[in-house]
PDB file of all heavy atoms in Angstrom:
ATOM      1  N   PRO A 895     -19.450  16.493 -40.874  1.00  0.00           N
ATOM      2  CA  PRO A 895     -20.441  17.563 -40.711  1.00  0.00           C
ATOM      3  C   PRO A 895     -21.842  17.059 -41.057  1.00  0.00           C
ATOM      4  O   PRO A 895     -22.031  16.332 -42.039  1.00  0.00           O
ATOM      5  CB  PRO A 895     -19.984  18.624 -41.708  1.00  0.00           C
ATOM      6  CG  PRO A 895     -18.539  18.318 -41.973  1.00  0.00           C
ATOM      7  CD  PRO A 895     -18.406  16.830 -41.849  1.00  0.00           C
ATOM      8  N   GLY A 909     -30.269   7.416 -55.628  1.00  0.00           N
ATOM      9  CA  GLY A 909     -29.493   6.479 -56.436  1.00  0.00           C
ATOM     10  C   GLY A 909     -28.220   7.055 -57.000  1.00  0.00           C
ATOM     11  O   GLY A 909     -27.603   6.458 -57.891  1.00  0.00           O
ATOM     12  N   ASP A1034     -35.362  12.111 -11.373  1.00  0.00           N
ATOM     13  CA  ASP A1034     -35.785  11.249 -10.261  1.00  0.00           C
ATOM     14  C   ASP A1034     -34.635  10.387  -9.755  1.00  0.00           C
ATOM     15  O   ASP A1034     -34.535  10.126  -8.551  1.00  0.00           O
ATOM     16  CB  ASP A1034     -36.946  10.343 -10.708  1.00  0.00           C
ATOM     17  CG  ASP A1034     -38.249  11.107 -10.901  1.00  0.00           C
ATOM     18  OD1 ASP A1034     -38.349  12.234 -10.390  1.00  0.00           O
ATOM     19  OD2 ASP A1034     -39.155  10.565 -11.572  1.00  0.00           O
ATOM     20  N   THR A1103     -13.541   9.086 -19.863  1.00  0.00           N
ATOM     21  CA  THR A1103     -13.329   7.835 -20.585  1.00  0.00           C
ATOM     22  C   THR A1103     -12.039   7.913 -21.385  1.00  0.00           C
ATOM     23  O   THR A1103     -11.984   8.518 -22.459  1.00  0.00           O
ATOM     24  CB  THR A1103     -14.502   7.549 -21.540  1.00  0.00           C
ATOM     25  OG1 THR A1103     -15.723   7.560 -20.797  1.00  0.00           O
ATOM     26  CG2 THR A1103     -14.330   6.182 -22.191  1.00  0.00           C
ATOM     27  N   THR A1108     -12.464   2.069 -23.185  1.00  0.00           N
ATOM     28  CA  THR A1108     -13.617   2.081 -24.088  1.00  0.00           C
ATOM     29  C   THR A1108     -14.268   0.704 -24.192  1.00  0.00           C
ATOM     30  O   THR A1108     -15.500   0.584 -24.148  1.00  0.00           O
ATOM     31  CB  THR A1108     -13.201   2.574 -25.484  1.00  0.00           C
ATOM     32  OG1 THR A1108     -12.628   3.883 -25.378  1.00  0.00           O
ATOM     33  CG2 THR A1108     -14.393   2.632 -26.422  1.00  0.00           C
ATOM     34  N   GLY A1113     -18.771  -2.469 -23.364  1.00  0.00           N
ATOM     35  CA  GLY A1113     -19.208  -3.811 -23.015  1.00  0.00           C
ATOM     36  C   GLY A1113     -20.128  -3.808 -21.811  1.00  0.00           C
ATOM     37  O   GLY A1113     -21.149  -4.509 -21.776  1.00  0.00           O
ATOM     38  N   PRO A1178      -9.723   7.481 -45.264  1.00  0.00           N
ATOM     39  CA  PRO A1178     -10.187   7.591 -46.654  1.00  0.00           C
ATOM     40  C   PRO A1178     -11.330   6.614 -46.918  1.00  0.00           C
ATOM     41  O   PRO A1178     -11.388   5.534 -46.316  1.00  0.00           O
ATOM     42  CB  PRO A1178      -8.952   7.242 -47.472  1.00  0.00           C
ATOM     43  CG  PRO A1178      -7.792   7.485 -46.560  1.00  0.00           C
ATOM     44  CD  PRO A1178      -8.280   7.157 -45.189  1.00  0.00           C
ATOM     45  N   PHE A1201     -16.540 -11.812 -17.044  1.00  0.00           N
ATOM     46  CA  PHE A1201     -16.037 -11.272 -15.781  1.00  0.00           C
ATOM     47  C   PHE A1201     -17.105 -11.352 -14.691  1.00  0.00           C
ATOM     48  O   PHE A1201     -16.808 -11.722 -13.536  1.00  0.00           O
ATOM     49  CB  PHE A1201     -15.597  -9.823 -15.985  1.00  0.00           C
ATOM     50  CG  PHE A1201     -15.018  -9.180 -14.764  1.00  0.00           C
ATOM     51  CD1 PHE A1201     -13.702  -9.400 -14.391  1.00  0.00           C
ATOM     52  CD2 PHE A1201     -15.799  -8.333 -13.966  1.00  0.00           C
ATOM     53  CE1 PHE A1201     -13.164  -8.803 -13.264  1.00  0.00           C
ATOM     54  CE2 PHE A1201     -15.274  -7.726 -12.835  1.00  0.00           C
ATOM     55  CZ  PHE A1201     -13.948  -7.965 -12.478  1.00  0.00           C
TER      56      PHE A1201
END
Side-chain angles (χ1 to χ4, degrees):
D1034 289 343
T1103 305
T1108 302
F1201 182 81

